[in-house]
Amino acid sequence: MADIPLVKLQSEFFSIPGKIEEPKREALLEDLIAKERPKMARQSYNVMQVIAEVLLEEAILRRSEDAFLSFSLKPKEKQHKVQLFIEMVLKTRPVVVFESKIPFLEEVIADIVLKSKESVLYKQLPKLRETASTKLEVPSLSDNMLMVLPMHSFSGIANENLVTHEITMTKASVFIGCSSFNSLSETIKSLTDVVLTLPDITSGTLQKILTKLYGNEPIPEIGNAGWISTLVPNDVVQAYALNLNISDTLAYLEMRLGERLKSVNPSLSPSLNDLHGLGEAKTIVKDIIEEINLALEGKIDWDQVDKGLLLAGPPGTGKTTLAKAIAKECSVKFININASKWQSTEHLGYHIESILNDFAFAKRSAPCILFIDEIDSIGARTNDDKNGYYVNAVVNTVLQEIQGFAEKENVIIIGATNREELVEPALKRAGRLERVVHVPYPNVDALEKIYDYYLKLHSEMNSSNINTKQLGGLSFGLTGADVEQIVRGGLRRARKEGTILCQQHIVDEITGKPRSNEDSRRIGKEEMERVSIHEAGHALMRYLYRDLEPVTYISIIPRSNGSLGFVAHLPSLKSLYSRKELLQIIEIMLAGRAAEELVYGKENISNGAGGDEKSDLAQATQLAERMIYLLGMGKNFDLFYGKDNVVNNEEAKSLLKYCYNTALETVKRNESKLKAISAVLMEKQEMGGEELYTLLKS
């Protein structure tokens, strides 16, 4: 029988890296093949061939009723099925499609076919060219050739009519590898003689693999071990490389895969009832959980369940935790991958292989949740000649794999992004990540409950009188992830002091209080007194305007960000403010400067109210300008919008002057209260909101 040259159409990871002139590349590639061929016989590749043989035999047995296989293998029924398959390939030159959750296993099977020959002539690998849509351009075929098409990472073939002609007019054998036969085009399907579905590795197939590897050594009964479902060929390769006996090999596999099972078990994650501040996202997720559970119970078909979801929201708002909660509520595995790690190497081939391996693992773990964090990092398809080829190949691979899940796998895919606008639009179409769920920042009530949850986890180290409502108010604008970090920081402060966690530890963490005197900026007594007067002015004015949000915390301890003091208050739940209320807010902003003028005189006020864009004066000016130019709330209530109108800034200055004079008169009338607040701050450097209100009521 004539030797069969092998033509492998593969992606970049089988090519020579670097920029090499084409004639030199061809010569180097031919030399590389000659040198690398002996290395393929090393131990690890031998193990892969054993795995492929066992799975191929299982696939053939399962398709025993297939007409093509029945007639081509029937004359020699008693022979080994793999050997019969090899002889059939050499004789009939079929087009075989290999469905597999293990990417590129068809390559190993091709080597098994070639290995059966005494000598194999390798022709030069043809140059692989792809269009912008990452479609293969297949070269002409010749008789007695075995061609391998790994269709895992390509959306199709550039000229399918030409391929059809080449295959039908020559005696070439063709192996096509894919994750799903249905993902192939109708043209390719029409060429197929037989479809072999290579099964997952089960207890039975693992026993056969180990028998082939260890020869006559007795194989212990494996049984229906749960860890088998997560096994991949590389696990067997690694175990065999340790040169253990069979019992220790099984023990190693059980330990290795047991650890992997723990990593996909969401049971230790918060349940949906433990999550707060998610808004409508929680309602949507409840519906999805109900549908998944109904499908798991067989009460509805899986095609009635949304198979894809995109969680969009700021960092730390709980997108990963929400996805884990879905898996926990449905008692399914949680596969957590990060799209940015797919591109840990710049090599396209390894990039795509990493994607395929993760999706293959999810298929073997079904039913499961496949969570893809930072999904925007895969990029969006583009016609840019410089980067378009690479990005398009990656995006098309992800799209193809997701579409494959939508067709038949019991896998729910949840993507997450901090920047929805960067996500490839095709990912959000029907059958993919078809529903976009926005995860917002938590409100004060939600933050209170989040504090309750994390403090409950450390209840043995907590004081029983922690006021989480106050903590929620102080933390407005933060996320659930921030709260978790704050509680950890509070515990660290408590351990350092040798006490249990209390309210002050957490407040100190929220407000960024230095952990020791050495960490803080030292200021003299006179400067501390001035800061206390300044902050007392802000606190007094907010106390007097009861319709606005109350004070929650005052501090005159310098922070690492340069702040010498601040007054915190509950966040506003209002969306609409009257002109009177907006003027009061400006007066509060200017009350610190007014308090300094009252105590030290106009000529001795400090620069504490001014400075950068976050300073008191800057914020007061911005609000005054908005009132005049954007809200129609100037002195004459002029009805116009926009700064492009010819309006003199003198009106904004006049409004600020009015608010400042009002603040100055107010602190004068309440000078005793102002100094009482300042005295407490000088003594303690801090004051809670309740303490302030108690002090001023007495």
Side-chain angles (χ1 to χ4, degrees):
M1 214 174 277
D3 290 334
I4 304 177
L6 172 67
V7 177
K8 292 184 178 181
L9 295 180
Q10 306 167 76
S11 48
E12 282 185 352
F13 51 86
F14 282 98
S15 66
I16 300 172
K19 295 182 179 180
I20 303 174
E21 294 178 11
E22 199 59 39
K24 291 183 179 179
R25 175 181 290 275
E26 293 178 2
L28 286 171
L29 190 54
E30 189 170 354
D31 183 57
L32 177 66
I33 294 168
K35 290 179 179 178
E36 290 297 319
R37 181 69 177 110
K39 293 181 182 179
M40 296 173 70
R42 67 181 183 263
Q43 189 182 65
S44 60
Y45 199 77
N46 284 341
V47 174
M48 283 299 301
Q49 288 190 333
V50 168
I51 294 171
E53 282 185 21
V54 171
L55 298 182
L56 176 59
E57 184 176 11
E58 286 286 319
I60 293 170
L61 289 172
R62 294 183 183 188
R63 293 301 303 270
S64 58
E65 300 301 320
D66 181 87
F68 185 86
L69 288 180
S70 296
F71 280 90
S72 60
L73 303 183
K74 187 174 182 180
K76 301 176 181 178
E77 289 179 344
K78 294 182 180 180
Q79 288 189 21
H80 190 275
K81 295 297 181 185
V82 173
Q83 186 58 40
L84 285 174
F85 174 80
I86 292 171
E87 293 181 8
M88 179 266 290
V89 170
L90 299 176
K91 180 181 178 180
T92 64
R93 311 295 179 183
V95 177
V96 183
V97 170
F98 294 97
E99 279 189 318
S100 177
K101 295 177 183 177
I102 305 172
F104 309 115
L105 205 57
E106 69 281 352
E107 301 263 2
V108 184
I109 295 174
D111 284 330
I112 292 172
V113 173
L114 295 167
K115 191 178 179 181
S116 67
K117 306 299 295 175
E118 292 183 359
S119 63
V120 177
L121 175 62
Y122 267 78
K123 285 189 175 180
Q124 175 197 329
L125 287 174
K127 180 184 176 184
L128 176 62
R129 298 185 299 276
E130 298 186 26
T131 66
S133 61
T134 66
K135 291 188 176 183
L136 287 169
E137 189 171 312
V138 180
S140 299
L141 304 179
S142 59
D143 292 350
N144 301 327
M145 180 182 288
L146 172 56
M147 180 173 70
V148 181
L149 296 177
M151 298 295 291
H152 308 273
S153 55
F154 298 97
S155 59
I157 294 176
N159 193 332
E160 293 191 350
N161 291 331
L162 177 60
V163 174
T164 303
H165 173 77
E166 290 290 333
I167 291 176
T168 54
M169 296 301 292
T170 61
K171 296 179 180 178
S173 298
V174 181
F175 286 0
I176 300 175
C178 61
S179 56
S180 168
F181 181 66
N182 290 333
S183 67
L184 302 179
S185 68
E186 293 303 318
T187 303
I188 298 299
K189 288 179 184 178
S190 67
L191 298 173
T192 303
D193 294 308
V194 62
V195 179
L196 290 175
T197 302
L198 301 172
D200 297 335
I201 299 177
T202 62
S203 297
T205 52
L206 178 59
Q207 196 136 7
K208 291 180 180 179
I209 291 167
L210 296 178
T211 298
K212 282 180 171 289
L213 290 174
Y214 288 88
N216 296 326
E217 190 173 342
I219 307 293
E221 186 67 32
I222 298 175
N224 294 319
W227 50 266
I228 295 290
S229 64
T230 66
L231 187 142
V232 296
N234 191 55
D235 295 324
V236 182
V237 171
Q238 293 296 330
Y240 193 70
L242 292 174
N243 200 25
L244 305 171
N245 61 42
I246 184 62
S247 297
D248 288 342
T249 295
L250 285 173
Y252 167 77
L253 287 173
E254 184 172 359
M255 181 180 293
R256 177 184 175 105
L257 301 179
E259 292 171 354
R260 186 176 297 160
L261 272 177
K262 289 180 183 178
S263 71
V264 300
N265 185 351
S267 60
L268 298 179
S269 304
S271 62
L272 192 61
N273 289 333
D274 294 324
L275 304 183
H276 305 281
L278 298 173
E280 188 184 7
K282 193 168 185 177
T283 303
I284 295 173
V285 163
K286 281 183 178 179
D287 293 340
I288 291 174
I289 290 171
E290 181 181 356
E291 290 177 354
I292 293 174
N293 283 327
L294 289 173
L296 289 170
E297 295 167 7
K299 295 180 179 179
I300 64 173
D301 293 332
W302 273 96
D303 58 9
Q304 297 182 49
V305 181
D306 287 344
K307 303 302 288 289
L309 198 67
L310 178 63
L311 302 179
T317 48
K319 298 183 287 295
T320 303
T321 307
L322 180 58
K324 281 185 179 178
I326 298 174
K328 181 176 182 177
E329 299 287 346
C330 300
S331 299
V332 298
K333 298 183 185 71
F334 180 76
I335 313 299
N336 188 353
I337 58 180
N338 191 306
S340 63
K341 291 183 179 179
W342 283 337
Q343 51 189 333
S344 57
T345 172
E346 295 181 358
H347 208 287
L348 176 60
Y350 291 129
H351 192 159
I352 290 177
E353 186 176 24
S354 179
I355 295 171
L356 297 177
N357 285 335
D358 282 334
F359 275 91
F361 179 64
K363 292 175 185 178
R364 292 192 302 274
S365 303
C368 70
I369 301 293
L370 174 59
F371 180 72
I372 308 175
D373 201 7
E374 298 183 31
I375 197 166
D376 53 281
S377 66
I378 69 171
R381 287 182 293 187
T382 174
N383 291 324
D384 177 29
D385 292 335
K386 184 176 180 181
N387 299 314
Y389 163 76
Y390 189 104
V391 173
N392 292 346
V394 171
V395 172
N396 284 340
T397 300
V398 174
L399 290 173
Q400 182 173 307
E401 291 299 304
I402 290 178
Q403 193 67 44
F405 280 148
E407 290 169 359
K408 64 176 183 178
E409 304 290 347
N410 300 339
V411 177
I412 307 298
I413 303 178
I414 301 179
T417 179
N418 302 330
R419 303 184 64 183
E420 183 189 348
E421 70 277 8
L422 298 183
V423 176
E424 160 66 38
L427 277 170
K428 296 186 282 186
R429 292 177 187 163
R432 294 164 182 165
L433 308 182
E434 54 194 0
R435 178 173 295 191
V436 179
V437 178
H438 294 97
V439 183
Y441 280 108
N443 57 24
V444 173
D445 290 340
L447 286 165
E448 177 186 352
K449 293 181 175 65
I450 295 171
Y451 273 109
D452 287 334
Y453 172 79
Y454 284 112
L455 289 170
K456 186 178 180 181
L457 296 180
H458 306 284
S459 56
E460 73 283 356
M461 296 183 291
N462 294 346
S463 170
S464 58
N465 61 350
I466 294 179
N467 184 345
T468 53
K469 184 176 182 63
Q470 182 195 37
L471 298 179
L474 281 173
S475 304
F476 183 71
L478 301 181
T479 67
D482 294 326
V483 170
E484 182 183 12
Q485 183 181 21
I486 286 167
V487 172
R488 284 202 313 270
L491 287 166
R492 187 179 300 112
R493 290 174 184 266
R495 285 196 303 272
K496 190 173 181 179
E497 295 177 6
T499 63
I500 63 172
L501 181 69
C502 68
Q503 182 87 5
Q504 193 60 47
H505 292 131
I506 302 179
V507 170
D508 290 347
E509 196 69 18
I510 295 171
T511 59
K513 179 181 178 180
R515 295 180 189 171
S516 69
N517 291 333
E518 289 75 15
D519 296 334
S520 62
R521 171 182 166 185
R522 294 183 178 275
I523 60 175
K525 183 179 178 181
E526 291 184 3
E527 189 171 9
M528 181 183 293
E529 185 177 61
R530 182 181 288 275
V531 174
S532 72
I533 289 291
H534 185 103
E535 299 305 333
H538 290 307
L540 171 64
M541 192 66 70
R542 186 166 284 277
Y543 166 81
L544 294 173
Y545 289 142
R546 303 297 177 86
D547 292 338
L548 298 177
E549 299 73 26
V551 173
T552 57
Y553 185 73
I554 315 168
S555 172
I556 60 168
I557 298 175
R559 263 46 177 186
S560 59
N561 63 2
S563 169
L564 298 180
F566 63 90
V567 176
H569 59 85
L570 284 175
S572 175
L573 301 178
K574 299 175 64 172
S575 299
L576 301 174
Y577 286 87
S578 67
R579 183 177 187 271
K580 176 184 176 181
E581 289 170 329
L582 293 177
L583 291 174
Q584 289 175 344
I585 292 173
I586 295 177
E587 290 165 21
I588 292 172
M589 293 174 179
L590 299 177
R593 179 184 172 114
E596 286 191 50
E597 180 175 335
L598 173 66
V599 175
Y600 299 105
K602 191 171 186 178
E603 297 299 323
N604 290 311
I605 58 174
S606 73
N607 61 347
D612 60 24
E613 294 181 356
K614 294 183 179 180
S615 68
D616 299 338
L617 190 57
Q619 292 186 65
T621 302
Q622 290 163 13
L623 180 53
E625 290 176 341
R626 285 180 59 82
M627 290 178 65
I628 296 168
Y629 299 127
L630 305 178
L631 303 177
M633 292 183 176
K635 181 179 178 180
N636 299 320
F637 293 90
D638 293 329
L639 297 177
F640 66 88
Y641 179 91
K643 281 193 172 184
D644 291 339
N645 295 277
V646 182
V647 178
N648 197 315
N649 281 337
E650 290 300 321
E651 186 173 0
K653 294 178 183 178
S654 175
L655 192 151
L656 287 171
K657 185 176 181 180
Y658 167 80
C659 290
Y660 182 76
N661 289 335
T662 302
L664 185 59
E665 290 299 319
T666 303
V667 296
K668 281 182 181 178
R669 290 196 305 270
N670 295 274
E671 186 173 359
S672 61
K673 289 184 172 65
L674 177 76
K675 292 185 175 180
I677 299 170
S678 174
V680 173
L681 290 175
M682 284 295 293
E683 178 186 356
K684 299 181 178 180
Q685 288 79 58
E686 298 172 298
M687 184 187 300
E690 292 181 2
E691 186 179 358
L692 171 72
Y693 284 81
T694 301
L695 172 69
L696 297 184
K697 285 180 181 179
S698 60

